[in-house]
Amino acid sequence: MPKYFVMTDERCGGTIFCSLFTCCNLKTINDPQTCTETRKEFINYTSNNKTDKLLDYCYNKLHVDLVKCCYISFSITEYKELLNYCIKNNIIIIVLHRINIYKRALSVEIARNLKFYGKLNINNNYSPFSIDINKYKNNIIKYNDMFKNSIDYLDSKLYYYYLMKFEEIYTDKSYIFDLLKKLNINIKDNEKFNYYLNYDYNTNYKLKLVNNLDELNKINNKFLPTKCIFKFRYN
């Protein structure tokens, strides 16, 4: 059975994206490099390696079908180790990219301020806050760098990948259905699949808590999204 690797970053819809595959009877795992030492599935994993050896453990010891790893946990060199493992072992790579790098950075900083990454309970009271400008800028810069370097690396290795865009998947369901068709993957639980595909994080409510949105918007034009050719993207 084919194995899959999701190349993405936090706040790109990756957790929900991977949940869609659980509705197809695939065993998935999100960010095995995070809190590895305290997760019960890794109780027998004794290595300090958080890249290729950890991936190998997921696929061949835990028998996971799909692994998602976010850029945020790795340096560029470390992420290349993940990609090298995928290339060496013919793992199918799915690139999940968020085109709007500003909304992604804002989402990251909102989650960090709230100390909560899931669906916000709008019935609770939350205090407004301001986003740290430098952290916001650094978030945009790192995402741009990691994304471009990873895509360029795959292209340099002549390795094909599927490119999925956050904005397309969650506005036009045909994109995810088309991907599953290309991968020859069948949905087994349609009700659960639709639940995940229509999941609402109450983003609009979160935005109302940010005091300095106007200030953030003014600096966005200083940081343009990185440009990639996507030479080896599957059509």
Side-chain angles (χ1 to χ4, degrees), residues 90-113:
N90 296 313
I91 307 294
I92 296 172
I93 295 178
I94 304 170
V95 178
L96 179 58
H97 176 49
R98 189 162 183 174
I99 300 170
N100 194 317
I101 58 175
Y102 317 112
K103 286 185 178 180
R104 192 207 70 86
L106 180 58
S107 180
V108 170
E109 296 307 324
I110 288 175
R112 289 175 179 172
N113 274 273

Side-chain angles (χ1 to χ4, degrees), residues 11-152:
R11 316 315 286 176
C12 289
T15 300
I16 290 294
F17 182 74
C18 293
S19 295
L20 295 172
F21 288 85
T22 66
C23 304
C24 307
N25 286 354
L26 267 66
K27 185 177 180 180
T28 69
I29 191 164
N30 289 292
D31 298 294
Q33 77 282 355
T34 303
C35 302
T36 311
E37 296 78 8
T38 59
R39 291 165 71 166
K40 62 181 181 180
E41 59 264 52
F42 296 110
I43 192 170
N44 294 318
Y45 184 72
T46 57
S47 173
N48 291 322
N49 179 291
K50 296 294 182 70
T51 55
D52 53 344
K53 289 183 180 179
L54 184 57
L55 268 189
D56 190 70
Y57 188 86
C58 290
Y59 290 124
N60 296 311
K61 296 296 183 181
L62 300 180
H63 305 295
V64 170
D65 301 303
L66 181 147
V67 179
K68 180 203 79 177
C69 288
C70 288
Y71 305 139
I72 189 66
S73 300
F74 303 94
S75 67
I76 289 174
T77 300
E78 289 171 333
Y79 211 86
K80 286 179 180 178
E81 291 178 17
L82 297 173
L83 298 179
N84 279 332
Y85 176 88
C86 294
I87 293 169
K88 180 180 177 181
N89 293 279
N90 296 313
I91 307 294
I92 296 172
I93 295 178
I94 304 170
V95 178
L96 179 58
H97 176 49
R98 189 162 183 174
I99 300 170
N100 194 317
I101 58 175
Y102 317 112
K103 286 185 178 180
R104 192 207 70 86
L106 180 58
S107 180
V108 170
E109 296 307 324
I110 288 175
R112 289 175 179 172
N113 274 273
L114 292 172
K115 296 181 174 58
F116 184 73
Y117 283 78
K119 182 175 183 177
L120 205 66
N121 186 344
I122 61 176
N123 295 316
N124 292 343
N125 291 320
Y126 299 92
S127 300
F129 53 86
S130 294
I131 299 295
D132 185 294
I133 297 297
N134 287 327
K135 290 181 179 178
Y136 177 77
K137 290 178 181 178
N138 290 337
N139 212 302
I140 293 173
I141 293 169
K142 180 167 184 181
Y143 181 77
N144 264 343
D145 288 346
M146 291 294 292
F147 176 66
K148 179 170 176 51
N149 273 279
S150 298
I151 288 294
D152 287 350

